[in-house]
Structure formats: structure tokens, C-alpha cells
Amino acid sequence: MGGSDQPQIAWTKYPVVKPLLIRAPPITLRRVDTNLAETPNSLPDLLPRPFQKWFAEKGWVPRAHQMELLARATAGENMLLIAPTGAGKTLAGFLPSLTDLTRRGKVPPGSAFVGVHTLYISPLKALAVDIERNLMKPVSEMGLPVSIENRTGDTPQSKRQRQRLSPPDILLTTPEQLALLLANGEADRFFRDLRYVVLDELHSLVTSKRGHLLSLGLARLRRHAPALRSIGLSATVSDPQDLQRWLVPQGDSPAPPAGLVHVTGGAAPDISIMTTEERIPWSGHVATYAIPAVYEEIKKHKTTLIFVNTRFQAELLFQELWTINEDSLPIALHHGSLDVSQRRKVEAAMSANRLRAVVATSTLDMGLDWGDVDLVVHVGAPKGASRLAQRIGRSNHRMDEPSKAILVPANRFEVMECQAALDANYLGAQDTPPVGEGALDVLAQHVLGMACAEPFDALALYEEVRSASPYAGLSWEMFERIVDFVATGGYALRTYERYARIRRTKDGRWRVSNPQVAQQYRMNLGTIVEDTELNVRLVKRNQLGSLGRGGLSLGKVEEYFLEQLVQGDTFLFSGKVLRFEGIRENECLVTNAFSMDPKIPAYAGGRFPLSTYLADQVRAMLADPSRWHVLPDQVRDWLALQTEKSMLPRRDELLIETFPRGNRFFLVAYCFEGRLAHQTLGMLLTRRLERAGARPLGFVANDYALAIWSLNDMGEMIDSGRLSLADLFDEDMLGDDLEAWLAESYMLKRSFRSCAVISGLIERRHPGKEKTGRQVTVSTDLIYDVLRSHEPDHILLEATRRDAASGLLDIGRLGAMLARIKGHVIHRPLDRVSPLAVPVMLEIGREPVAGEGDFVLEEAAEELIAEAMG
């Protein structure tokens, strides 16, 4: 592609802010509830001599927020630091530990056992490894008497055993590894000298089940080390008070919220949205139309980090880039299913600035500082303002220089979503979800882990659990039910010895039933439940044509994808085209291949949900033509034609369009509440339409709209009064209709499967073997049916309903939408498909169709588009 053909990247670009010409620019600092005396001249006294000398030799000055956090943490406060990318959060978080350890000095050989001094908890294994590398540099340059090691799922077992016997001063780890350490009988000895816990990217941890497990671990750490202080670090937070409470003990007498240091300022980001001469797709998520333009941007920059939302997109985009890589630029791939050795090679090459581009998922979007990354390209809408802020911060990872990013929308609705995310970043808006109520299955796992560590008193453990923020409101009755579940499996399962994992001793304490229970706990610990994955091994054929032994491990692919393949099929993985040769000893054997049409593995649960904030901003943009001037001509023309042929809803309205097509009748609802809420709405609406006599056949949903088709004319039924839209979209659908649907839906079984695995009711891993996904499904489905019939109020069924409401079903968001649109549902009957309906209509045939029968719309996309636009 010549220079004259390069795409224009100037649309909606905010001005570049030049970096200040001093090494340590002034920073706007907001102090909240600070006890720090206003005596700035005393701050250097907090730094031991090696630190002062190191800063002086570098020509640097500690930033104000780093010194304030050091002073307050040293004085005994728990702290939360919120600061933009590149502001030195990591150094600030570790300064209290490093200065304390420097003053303590090196422990003489032969001294009594000294436990770990500081724990650093990371949401990503790659981040823990990166922090170790970056932290060791100043430690070695200052000659500090500090040992630093990481401990993740990739750490060899021999190193883990050695760490328990001789802990480092600073241990960099993950929530799962912390839970394993706490479930050990030596936990009290290991953690009794613990002084600080540093929790990085805290916003990404606290809202998930991993965060619930971590909060329980933090509560146990406070028992082992009462003087412990926690330091939370985050760049993107919508409600700091949530995190301030999370960091300190709760319960009947909650501790004062953690102190807050909130840093503002820094260079404004340089963000633009890519425009090309190519037609913007109507639907889809892969943005292949923009690949040539993305390649041109790679050529113009030192190192480009290309973010996508799913592993499927990563594999496809990487392959497309290599197809047109005429300059043989070093471009790499990084996602969580790749073999750890390959990921570490990519990370090392990035740090050494040997790569021009890396295609990555969320495995690289937090806290990492990779060399000379000077551009972030986000392919597909980011689905959240905070996620975008997090990812673009990987570019020019310095507070004084603007991060540069280009957004590449994959379809026309995503153009507006990208614009909304860009505007949100410019305004500093955040949309991180709130800290939720603690999950019951996670609590069951924790209770078993505490029994593995030592026999526990139920009342003492209850008070400890309630000191964790997500479980502060836990009732004693609910806790008793959890303990009973761990001890018996519940009323319907108590006759089976295998579910009796803990027993009560004569002194009233609870202990594990036998050592095998503790072994199984350690093998199955964790809250991330994915479909069973098989290792993919690249082998060669020998001279006789037989497959050889050994070979290179490429990573893992989910079992259900491999079950669809037959020998000879090709698929993309690890950036290679592979030929499927078969399964041997629970491994997928492949050989190198060439194919113009390989399959691409899809992974369950890979899509991010559209945030409520961005959904509202897209609705606002649709309703306000004065904001359309920033949109490309193609999108402006599309919206203008929609107003001509139908209408666009106001921000608080729900537009319903009905029209015939072929021998079916369609109803399209423009809800803008995300795919999960739309799928639940589709299930409930089809039940109501069936009762009304519309004879619905199925539905399909995307993040923006929902389309239902039927045999009878739903538009005529609405106009004649036989079908009331007010009744159809009434909030009462979340009552009896929801319960009736859940009683027969596979969705609850899917949620139950996850809860059963996390709670330990079903164990996937056993010594020397692992259950297949099908075996887990059969086991959990059988237990689910037993509990539904004989113990419908079982604690795990309650946990399942809670999970489904907030996760797979998004009931809370759907309820908020139904309340918002009450009295504001607008029906527009049409004689043909509208321009706005084209994207969701094109989903039919591409997505698995939810509904009755096998009806799939197979008309060519161009025919559908021509009908809508003509």
C-alpha cells in the first residue's frame, strides 16, 4: 500500500499534549482524610540514604503522591492510590515495603525463621512476572538487602516448596496462589511477619469471584498478622469509596475506610477512530476490512500493541496481518491459551524492543510496561470506558507523555460505541462495576480451605468471614448452611460419604475428613471455570508416515471445539495453520499444514458485556443529530435514512419495529442493554408471544437490538389491540414468567455447573487424570435434577440463581431497562426491514438461533441491505 493510499486517521483526534521539559513535573494532588502534617520538607526523611542517592543519581525527584502514600502507610494507614497510567503507582505501592526492609537489613544466616514481609497480588500472571523484572532493577542498583520472587500457576513445584521453607521478603503472586498458601498447615508461620499487602489493578479484582476469594484471603491474613496494612493501586475507579471499604476489615465494628490519594493531571491521550475508504461492515466483530490500514500504522510506529476482545479475534487478526506482511515485520501473538513458554518469549521480545507489533487479549492490558510501545490499536469496540482507559495506557507508559491509540470499529453500531468510549475518556468518565455481594460457592470453597489449614471454630470463622467486605452482610443462618453443605453436601446428598468433606471433632471444631480431601482441594482450587481444555502438541511424521512422540506444546484448546473436528481438518492456533491428527493420551496432536480456509477455535465466555454507561451514551447519540457530525459519512447517511424510512428513538424510549419478510413476520426491539440482557428478554418475550397466539419461532440478539420472528403478524396484532406492548414489556415478566422459564431452561444448569465446580461439589481434577467436559456436565446435570426434585431450597441452587441473575441472565440490568421504558414504548409498523434493523437481522444464520425449529434466514447480505436502503 503506497503512501498516497494510507487511511486518514485524523477523525475526532484530540490534540497531542507535549511533555513537560522537567524530569518530575508538578502533579495535581487531591488529599482525602489525610493525617499527614503539611510539612513537605520532612518528606525526604522518610527515604533511607540509598533511596535518596539513587534518585539523585538518576536526576529524579519522588512525586508528591509517592511520598504521601509512603508517609501515611508508614504511619499505619491502609491506603488506596488512584493515579493515571505512568504516574509511578507500582513504585509508590512498594516504597513502604522497600524502605522498611532496608531499615531492617538482611536477616543473618542461621537466624530464626522469618516469614514473608510483603505480598503483591496481581490479577495477571504476566503482570507478576513483569513487576519482578522491573522491581529488581532499582533494588539491585541501590544494593538493597531485599529478596523478590514470583509465585504463579507457572512456577515450578520445586520452587514453590523452597519458598515455603525459605520465603522471599517480597512475594509476587495471584489470588489462587494466596488461597493455596493459606490452606497449608504452616500458613501462620509463613505469614506471621507479614507487614504489607499490595493489591495491583484492584478495580479488576474486586468485582469478580476471584475478588471474593481474595477478600476472604485478606481476612485470614489479618488473623495471622494483625498489624498488616493493605495498599490498593488502581488507575480506573468509578467509586473510590467502594474500594476504600474493601481494603479494611468490615463486620459489626468496621475499621475506618482506607486513606485515599487521588492523582489527577498528566498528558491528555491522543485517541482517534480509524476511517478507511472501505465500507464499514453492518455487523460482525472481526474488522477484517481495516487490516491493511492497521498494517500501515504498524509500519509507521516503533511498537504497536493491538488489543482485541476475544482469543478468536486474536488468532484471526494475527493470521490476517501475516498474510499481508510483505515487509516481514516481527509480529507476535499473546493470549491466555498459548503455552506459557511462548507467552514468556513474546514478553521478553517486547521488553527488548525486538517486536513491531503484538496482537493480544486482556492478558496484556493491565499494569504492564513493555518497552517502546508507542501505539495501541483497539480492534472492535472496547465495551467499557474504563477498559479503554486501561488499554490505551500501555502506549507511552509515562505520565508526562500522551498515550496514543486508534480505535477500529468492527461494525456501524460499534462506530458510535467507539465514539462514546472516546468521549468518555476525554471527560475522564469511568464505568467499573460496583463491588458485589460475596458469592456463596466461593465461600464454600474457602471454608473447606480453612479446614485444610487447621480445625476451625465455626463462630470464629464466621466473624472472620464477615470482616471481608463482600461478606459483611452474611447472616449466621446462611453461614451455617454453607458449613453444613461442606460437611454433608446438603440434605439430599448427606447419605453419600464422598460429600462429607469436613467432620466435627469432640471439641466442636471442624476438620477435613481425611488427607485426600485436602489433596483434592489443592488440585481443584480457583474460581475461573472454563470448558475442559486439551493440550495441543505439534508433532512430525516419521519416514513411515506415523506420528512421532514428543513435539512442541503450543497451548490449550477447549474440548468442545476439538470434538467437532475430523482427521485432516485444519484450524488456526498459536498463529499457525494446523492439521488435526487426532487425540492421544488427552492431548490434541497436530502437524503443520497449509489451508486457505482453516477453522478458528472459539472459547466459551469470551465476549465482554457492553457497559451500562456506554449503552446510555449510544442511545443519547442516536437521539441527538447534532452529535452526528463526528461520525463518518457512511454512518451519518445510515442514521439519516433510518429517520426517513422509520424513526430513531429518544434516549428514554424503546423503539419497536415490525415488518414482514419472506413468509415470516419480524419484531425488532432496540434496547441497547447488551447481549446477555437481550437474550434473557428474548426468552421471556417469546413465552409471552406464544401465549398471545403470535406463534414465535425464534430470536437472535446482539449488544444493541433483539429480533424475534413468528408465523403470525405481530405488527397487525399490536395495531388491532390483540397484543399490548405495555403488557408485553411489563416488569412482571421478571416474576412468574422468569421462574417458569428458569425451571425448564438449560441456562440454570450451566450456572449450576460452574457453582458445583467452584464449591468443590464436583471435582474436575484427580491425581493423574482429569474429567472431560462431558463427564463434568453429566455429573452436574444429574445432581441438579436430584436437588431440583428433592431439595429445591438447596444452598447451591440458591447460589446458582444468584449467579444467573447477575451473570448469564443480567436480570438487574433488564429490570432497570423495563422500569426506564415504562410508558415510553413506541411501535413503528413497516412494510420492509429498516436500515437500523439490518445489523441484527444479519446475525440470523451467523449465530446459533434460540427458538423452535431449524428456521435460518439464508438470504444474501447484499439483498437484505438493498431492501433496507432502497
Side-chain angles (χ1 to χ4, degrees):
M1 182 180 290
S4 60
D5 297 326
Q6 292 182 6
Q8 299 300 310
I9 312 297
W11 167 44
T12 323
K13 180 181 289 187
Y14 293 110
V16 173
V17 179
K18 294 182 179 179
L20 299 176
L21 299 179
I22 56 178
R23 301 299 292 271
I27 293 176
T28 303
L29 181 65
R30 185 173 79 219
R31 297 182 179 178
V32 180
D33 297 329
T34 177
N35 295 319
L36 182 65
E38 296 295 328
T39 54
N41 292 333
S42 68
L43 290 179
D45 295 338
L46 293 166
L47 291 175
R49 180 62 185 161
F51 290 80
Q52 297 181 38
K53 181 182 177 183
W54 181 75
F55 275 110
E57 290 175 347
K58 295 287 186 181
W60 297 341
V61 177
R63 295 183 186 271
H65 62 274
Q66 294 172 332
M67 295 306 297
E68 178 168 1
L69 189 146
L70 172 60
R72 296 172 66 178
T74 302
E77 277 193 81
N78 298 288
M79 294 299 300
L80 172 63
L81 172 61
I82 302 174
T85 295
K89 287 190 299 295
T90 302
L91 179 59
F94 279 108
L95 270 178
S97 302
L98 293 175
T99 55
D100 192 45
L101 285 165
T102 300
R103 293 188 180 97
R104 186 194 74 179
K106 190 171 184 179
V107 177
S111 301
F113 180 88
V114 177
V116 65
H117 177 280
T118 297
L119 273 180
Y120 166 86
I121 309 294
S122 159
L124 299 175
K125 291 184 284 188
L127 181 52
V129 174
D130 180 55
I131 292 296
E132 181 183 19
R133 179 174 56 245
N134 291 337
L135 194 58
M136 282 304 300
K137 185 175 181 180
V139 167
S140 61
E141 287 176 348
M142 286 186 271
L144 301 182
V146 178
S147 58
I148 303 171
E149 294 182 3
N150 74 69
R151 180 190 177 99
T152 71
D154 298 331
T155 303
Q157 186 64 30
S158 58
K159 184 177 179 180
R160 295 190 210 178
Q161 291 174 346
R162 195 256 304 153
Q163 286 172 343
R164 285 200 296 269
L165 297 174
S166 179
D169 297 317
I170 298 176
L171 183 63
L172 316 173
T173 190
T174 60
E176 292 77 15
Q177 289 299 314
L178 173 60
L180 277 173
L181 288 168
L182 289 170
N184 188 280
E186 296 291 315
D188 187 69
R189 180 171 178 262
F190 188 85
F191 289 116
R192 67 189 178 196
D193 298 312
L194 187 64
R195 174 75 173 165
Y196 292 105
V197 174
V198 181
L199 302 126
D200 207 353
E201 306 294 351
L202 186 57
H203 64 281
S204 71
L205 281 170
V206 298
T207 57
S208 66
K209 288 189 176 184
R210 292 184 82 203
H212 301 165
L213 184 65
L214 178 58
S215 72
L216 293 167
L218 190 57
R220 174 49 62 108
L221 286 175
R222 294 192 193 103
R223 202 196 88 173
H224 291 313
L228 170 68
R229 292 294 175 262
S230 53
I231 298 173
L233 309 176
S234 188
T236 54
V237 179
S238 57
D239 182 6
Q241 292 183 358
D242 250 7
L243 299 191
Q244 287 175 269
R245 288 188 295 268
W246 194 95
L247 285 166
V248 299
Q250 298 299 306
D252 292 331
S253 302
L260 175 65
V261 177
H262 195 163
V263 182
T264 59
D270 172 16
I271 314 173
S272 60
I273 301 178
M274 180 172 283
T275 57
T276 75
E277 296 301 318
E278 299 293 329
R279 189 178 76 175
I280 301 172
W282 293 84
S283 64
H285 305 280
V286 292
T288 51
Y289 78 97
I291 298 296
V294 171
Y295 183 67
E296 289 301 313
E297 291 300 323
I298 294 172
K299 289 163 64 176
K300 291 190 292 186
H301 291 83
K302 293 179 182 177
T303 306
T304 300
L305 196 49
I306 304 170
F307 279 115
V308 294
N309 289 333
T310 69
R311 288 168 279 184
F312 173 94
Q313 291 171 310
E315 291 281 356
L316 177 62
L317 183 61
F318 177 77
Q319 190 67 23
E320 293 286 337
L321 283 172
W322 266 105
T323 300
I324 63 171
N325 188 9
E326 297 175 353
D327 300 278
S328 298
L329 301 179
I331 301 174
L333 175 67
H334 194 288
H335 63 70
S337 289
L338 299 180
D339 186 73
V340 60
S341 62
Q342 180 170 337
R343 283 183 273 133
R344 296 295 175 262
K345 288 178 183 177
V346 172
E347 293 159 15
M350 286 181 69
S351 297
N353 299 315
R354 297 199 304 269
L355 297 176
R356 293 294 299 276
V358 179
V359 181
T361 58
S362 56
T363 52
L364 292 183
D365 71 356
M366 284 185 284
L368 300 159
D369 184 9
W370 297 121
D372 291 334
V373 173
D374 55 349
L375 176 66
V376 165
V377 175
H378 199 293
V379 177
K383 301 302 173 186
S386 295
R387 181 175 296 110
L388 175 63
Q390 189 77 46
R391 289 181 165 182
I392 65 174
R394 301 311 105 211
S395 161
N396 292 329
H397 196 82
R398 290 169 289 278
M399 188 174 179
D400 318 330
E401 298 182 22
S403 298
K404 184 177 181 181
I406 298 174
L407 309 184
V408 184
N411 59 60
R412 297 186 177 211
F413 270 123
E414 282 198 356
V415 171
M416 291 183 284
E417 189 184 330
C418 284
Q419 182 64 47
L422 186 151
D423 293 341
N425 191 274
Y426 181 73
L427 296 172
Q430 302 291 347
D431 54 7
T432 49
V435 175
E437 192 176 72
L440 299 177
D441 52 349
V442 175
L443 179 56
Q445 182 182 119
H446 179 73
V447 167
L448 179 57
M450 295 306 92
C452 292
E454 61 183 10
F456 68 80
D457 174 76
L459 186 57
L461 183 58
Y462 170 64
E463 294 300 334
E464 179 186 307
V465 165
R466 289 184 65 239
S467 72
S469 176
Y471 296 92
L474 182 73
S475 69
W476 170 249
E477 178 190 15
M478 184 65 74
F479 182 76
E480 279 191 309
R481 292 176 63 193
I482 289 291
V483 173
D484 180 68
F485 163 71
V486 179
T488 67
Y491 172 77
L493 302 175
R494 67 177 60 245
T495 57
Y496 299 93
E497 184 68 20
R498 60 184 294 188
Y499 300 118
R501 291 172 288 164
I502 60 176
R503 299 184 186 280
R504 201 166 194 171
T505 62
K506 292 180 180 180
D507 63 358
R509 294 176 177 269
W510 292 91
R511 63 165 179 81
V512 289
S513 298
N514 55 68
Q516 286 70 38
V517 171
Q519 181 186 29
Q520 287 298 106
Y521 166 83
R522 296 184 181 100
M523 293 186 68
N524 290 277
L525 178 146
T527 63
I528 301 174
V529 180
E530 296 180 331
D531 282 2
T532 301
E533 296 180 322
L534 297 185
N535 189 51
V536 178
R537 188 169 296 280
L538 181 62
V539 297
K540 296 181 178 179
R541 290 188 178 276
N542 58 28
Q543 294 179 339
L544 300 177
S546 301
L547 294 176
R549 292 280 176 177
L552 179 65
S553 174
L554 300 180
K556 294 180 180 294
V557 170
E558 290 185 357
E559 179 186 42
Y560 87 96
F561 171 76
L562 298 174
E563 288 176 345
Q564 303 171 41
L565 303 181
V566 297
Q567 187 175 10
D569 281 350
T570 58
F571 65 98
L572 274 178
F573 183 66
S574 192
K576 307 175 188 295
V577 180
L578 305 171
R579 183 181 190 271
F580 177 69
E581 301 292 354
I583 305 293
R584 183 171 69 193
E585 297 175 359
N586 274 342
E587 283 195 322
C588 168
L589 303 185
V590 298
T591 54
N592 281 315
F594 175 81
S595 172
M596 297 302 294
D597 189 28
K599 297 178 172 65
I600 304 176
Y603 297 85
R607 290 176 177 165
F608 291 119
L610 175 65
S611 77
T612 302
Y613 176 83
L614 286 189
D616 178 66
Q617 293 303 304
V618 171
R619 288 198 305 269
M621 192 179 302
L622 273 179
D624 185 3
S626 68
R627 297 176 61 178
W628 297 358
H629 68 280
V630 298
L631 302 176
D633 293 343
Q634 297 177 54
V635 178
R636 283 202 309 273
D637 294 344
W638 172 49
L639 297 181
L641 192 60
Q642 171 67 17
T643 60
E644 175 186 327
K645 294 185 175 296
S646 177
M647 65 174 290
L648 287 169
R650 293 202 302 265
R651 191 173 185 173
D652 62 342
E653 290 179 338
L654 173 64
L655 172 63
I656 303 294
E657 291 178 339
T658 55
F659 50 85
R661 192 156 202 275
N663 58 350
R664 301 289 187 266
F665 297 92
F666 289 82
L667 179 152
V668 177
Y670 300 96
C671 308
F672 297 96
E673 293 295 344
R675 184 183 300 267
L676 294 178
H678 293 170
Q679 287 176 337
T680 300
L681 180 62
M683 294 285 191
L684 298 176
L685 286 180
T686 50
R687 293 180 69 88
R688 293 194 157 191
L689 288 168
E690 182 66 36
R691 289 202 303 268
R695 301 176 67 190
L697 295 172
F699 73 87
V700 71
N702 60 19
D703 274 331
Y704 316 101
L706 164 71
I708 302 174
W709 56 93
S710 65
L711 289 174
N712 290 342
D713 188 343
M714 292 175 283
E716 186 278 329
M717 293 175 67
I718 294 170
D719 288 342
S720 67
R722 289 187 292 137
L723 182 62
S724 166
L725 284 178
D727 292 341
L728 190 62
F729 286 90
D730 193 276
E731 293 172 84
D732 65 5
M733 75 164 63
L734 299 182
D736 292 343
D737 276 341
L738 178 62
E739 287 300 318
W741 169 55
L742 289 178
E744 60 192 44
S745 170
Y746 75 94
M747 303 286 278
L748 269 192
K749 283 191 174 182
R750 181 175 165 190
S751 287
F752 180 82
R753 196 175 310 147
S754 174
C755 289
V757 170
I758 292 173
S759 68
L761 188 70
I762 296 295
E763 296 164 337
R764 298 176 63 170
R765 300 176 188 90
H766 299 264
K769 60 181 180 179
E770 181 171 345
K771 283 186 177 180
T772 66
R774 184 180 291 108
Q775 288 171 328
V776 171
T777 298
V778 170
S779 299
T780 55
D781 285 358
L782 178 62
I783 294 176
Y784 176 82
D785 291 337
V786 169
L787 297 182
R788 282 286 307 238
S789 300
H790 300 286
E791 195 179 355
D793 61 346
H794 190 278
I795 188 69
L796 213 55
L797 291 181
E798 182 169 340
T800 297
R801 285 188 286 268
R802 289 188 186 187
D803 265 19
S806 60
L808 287 173
L809 307 183
D810 216 349
I811 298 298
R813 189 163 174 182
L814 179 56
M817 184 208 81
L818 294 175
R820 172 176 58 81
I821 64 169
K822 194 168 186 176
H824 300 282
V825 182
I826 309 298
H827 175 224
R828 186 55 59 100
L830 305 172
D831 60 2
R832 67 183 65 187
V833 61
S834 74
L836 204 64
V838 170
V840 73
M841 293 290 287
L842 288 174
E843 295 286 336
I844 303 173
R846 177 181 293 131
E847 295 286 331
V849 174
E852 302 173 17
D854 297 320
F855 171 68
V856 176
L857 201 65
E858 295 179 348
E859 292 89 345
E862 292 301 326
E863 179 185 340
L864 180 69
I865 294 167
E867 179 182 332
M869 304 300 281

